[in-house]
Amino acid sequence: MSYVVWFKELRKDSIATAGGKGANIGEMLTLHLPVPNGFAVTAQTYGEFLQKTRIQPKILGLLEGLDVENTDKLQAVAKQIQELIISTPMPTEMAEEIMYTYEMLGSIKQKATDLVDPKEVFVAVRSSATAEDLPEASFAGQQATFLNIKGKQNVITAVVACWASLFTARAIYYRVKNRFDHGKVLISALVQKMVNSEKSGIMFTVNPSTNHDDEIVIEAIYGLGELIVGGEVNPDLYLVDKKTRDIKKIEVRKKDYGLFRNDKGENEKLVIPKDRQERQVLNEKQIKELARLGKKLEEHYGKPQDVEWAVEKEEIFIVQTRAVTTFKAHSIERPDIADETGKMLLKGETASAGVYAGPVKIVRDPSELNKIQKGDILVTAMTTPDMVPAMQRAGAIITNEGGMTCHAAIVSREMGTPCIVGTEHATDLLKDGEIVTVHATRGIVYEGKIEIQEVKKQVAEEVVSSTADLVTATEIKVIMDLPDFAAKAAATGADGVGLVRLEIMIANGGIHPAEYVRQKREEDYVHLLKEGIRKIAKAFGHKPVWIRCSDMRSDEYRNLQGGNKEPHETDPMIGWHGIRRLLDESKILRAEFQAVKELHDEGFDNVGIMLPFLIRVEELRKAKVIMREVGIEPVKEIDFGVMIETPAACWVIEDLCKEGISFVSFGTNDLTQLTLGIDRNNERIAHLFNEMHPAVLGEMSKVIQVCKKYKVKTSICGQAGSKPEMAEFLVRQGADSISANADAVEEIRHTVAKVEKKILLDAERKK
Ligand code: PEP
Ligand code: MG
């Protein structure tokens, strides 16, 4: 086994060997970006160190039964373990390979013959966590960084110090609290040449002062970049046209000082010689080359970048790159804004109202979901349905992305968990472990714990008692996904369930439907569905419960067993999901029909079924054949319907009715997305997402008219069913039922009753 891997051999999937930081370097090198050279002492090397020196049992012994809440004890054990690691000599062959590779790094051509006269260079030694075990920001051990290390013995010491940093008190505490196995945590140490910066600076691939994204801005000084960040030296400023790379502006400023590294590895502030103080730092060729690299980085990461660069011997190096945020340029800073309630940290859209204060847990990857404990605030870029079990433990949810119809919004509303979506920066601005107050009703996150009087819940309960016996001609149904919440949904007095999304039940089961089929375990899948649906059907007595066949987009369930076998699609939202997929993998569809058939046999004949994302009458026809094979006659023996969620379905509605269906249900989330050409999960254009757009209403109106002709029932199960204005529209169009979220049933019932009464009175008047 080789104990080290050169950076150039790393790729973006090298996390298991070189950790997250190492894989990132690998990715940059694949793009031919000039990253300072170096190598990774692999995570497996650390594992072997523990094994060969036989210290692992000792470490685990010290940790066994440790009460991490006892701070003194925790500190003492942490110190003992770190000392144990640091004082244990590294096996000779391991140390030799690391030292040899370090010497190679210093030699110019990196050939064995160069080593006749080895040159020791300054390196940075950083720990790089393997992602499965160590969530990024929250893990203290991975922060260990040793700069300006020179000499092979010192490199070995720094590598071992990185390993020991896995056992700081904070890191131990963190792992215990999040139930990570100390024995399975691995870490890589990266040894990277330090650029001896003669010049350096920063580059933005958008102009941060004007927000023009067709301009690249470069700032440059002599020496190390720290003086720019600290604002101590006025940098040169170069403005470049991003498209043509023409230099649009050069402002040369007077630079009195520079920070330079001396032979001892210390930074020294030196006066710049008079004749160079007002000289341009970068020449035109370098400016253009930097702009080219910046553009490449932006294209690769798909976002404007904030890049740190340095020049040594006229060679440019990219030292660091990160996405530009709309907040202050150099580091993401919290806005300093307060309102009458408290200090505001973030704003977003209210997905599920309520107020909650608690500790932030940032989840950057689904593999980190187990760190969410009951009552934590789940903060993540975007929730996917496979996060549902963790979402159920969360006290509140905050996401960067996603609009009102994303699954985070839908599921949190059903659970009654306060949720804010589309904050853009939650995962950057909030810190793991900090206490914040989520005022979801107002879409604001406040610093610290703040007492806020929330009266909404009580009001809602009062409304239940005042409207539950209102009789409406249009049926008011509820939509629901979580069987455990069936009683709560039934308590609304709804006339049935207009949509049960099987996906959520599936996510809770932990196995992808396609995986059940691959393992020939369809029976288990049938069993899982039956358990969940039965709970709902029971809670609603004899009222109709419409189940929707699974509609699983390929990007949303990767965390389930078998989810890694899902295809990678350009746009999963319009990809292989819904009925088109179920007919390709008909064993899944058959199992779903089978579950419903068996429930009918048990007496739950209130369960109906509908097909998602349909575009052709053939899809309906083929599904019916499969249903008959399972042993039920569609329409006759079971409510059998289709979702209307594509413009295509609106256009072929007459054929669908002729083919024979019991009902249609408008999936306005998708119908609006596809009619308006607006990605429903994109918070940037969320303000344009409007189910009341005349194009969407026009389609719905046409569908209802045709369905009336064929005596096919009409309903809605998209998010818009919870909006009073949509309810009014549907009542006036003569829809048979409206389905709303549990927390909106009362308001919708009220609206419907009012509109129906008005229609009657208006008709009376006209007589
Ligand atoms: C819809 O598209 O409106 C719908 C109800 O389905 P989903 O939100 O699951 O896509
Ligand atoms: Mg849909």
Side-chain angles (χ1 to χ4, degrees), residues 98-111:
I98 295 171
M99 291 194 288
Y100 173 83
T101 317
Y102 165 68
E103 286 182 334
M104 283 283 237
L105 183 62
S107 59
I108 301 161
K109 296 200 182 81
Q110 290 176 19
K111 289 190 308 218

Side-chain angles (χ1 to χ4, degrees), residues 492-510:
T492 58
D495 299 311
V497 180
L499 166 67
V500 176
R501 286 184 177 84
L502 292 188
E503 302 86 77
I504 308 296
M505 231 177 261
I506 294 166
N508 263 336

Side-chain angles (χ1 to χ4, degrees), residues 542-753:
H542 292 287
K543 294 175 181 173
V545 170
W546 290 341
I547 304 299
R548 181 180 71 184
C549 293
S550 61
D551 188 5
M552 312 204 36
R553 299 177 194 105
S554 56
D555 59 333
E556 291 183 333
Y557 301 88
R558 294 201 183 279
N559 205 37
L560 298 184
Q561 192 183 327
N564 56 351
K565 300 207 177 77
E566 287 294 283
H568 289 271
E569 301 181 286
T570 329
D571 191 347
M573 199 65 106
I574 48 174
W576 194 45
H577 69 92
I579 191 65
R580 60 186 68 162
R581 174 170 190 169
L582 291 170
L583 290 173
D584 284 350
E585 292 189 311
S586 61
K587 286 187 175 163
I588 300 176
L589 183 63
R590 197 175 295 271
E592 291 168 3
F593 286 165
Q594 181 67 31
V596 174
K597 150 93 172 114
E598 290 180 20
L599 286 166
H600 271 236
D601 293 346
E602 285 179 24
F604 295 105
D605 56 3
N606 55 329
V607 178
I609 201 149
M610 58 182 162
L611 309 175
F613 221 66
L614 183 129
I615 55 169
R616 298 170 189 279
V617 74
E618 287 78 9
E619 292 165 337
L620 171 62
R621 220 171 273 147
K622 285 181 183 162
K624 280 181 157 186
V625 170
I626 294 175
M627 177 157 262
R628 287 190 190 106
E629 284 168 7
V630 166
I632 336 178
E633 184 53 40
V635 184
K636 252 198 200 150
E637 293 175 353
I638 183 171
D639 267 356
F640 188 82
V642 296
M643 300 271 292
I644 302 292
E645 12 180 29
T646 63
C650 299
W651 284 100
V652 300
I653 185 63
E654 185 125 24
D655 293 339
L656 294 170
C657 289
K658 281 184 191 155
E659 177 59 36
I661 40 177
S662 326
F663 67 93
V664 300
S665 183
F666 292 108
T668 42
N669 305 339
D670 278 313
L671 187 60
T672 307
Q673 157 170 268
L674 297 174
T675 303
L676 305 185
I678 288 176
D679 176 351
R680 60 193 257 196
N681 283 344
N682 185 338
E683 73 283 352
R684 189 161 294 137
I685 45 175
H687 61 286
L688 296 173
F689 187 91
N690 176 18
E691 298 100 333
M692 301 304 289
H693 188 289
V696 181
L697 298 183
E699 288 169 332
M700 294 172 74
S701 173
K702 172 196 148 98
V703 169
I704 294 172
Q705 278 169 33
V706 175
C707 286
K708 278 189 177 301
K709 190 167 118 194
Y710 289 91
K711 298 202 167 37
V712 168
K713 288 191 170 172
T714 48
S715 187
I716 181 171
C717 61
Q719 192 56 35
S722 300
K723 292 186 176 174
E725 62 270 31
M726 178 58 89
E728 172 157 7
F729 169 79
L730 287 170
V731 171
R732 291 190 182 280
Q733 291 291 317
D736 295 281
S737 64
I738 293 174
S739 325
N741 294 320
D743 62 354
V745 164
E746 293 313 313
E747 189 185 7
I748 295 303
R749 185 183 287 133
H750 211 76
T751 306
V752 168

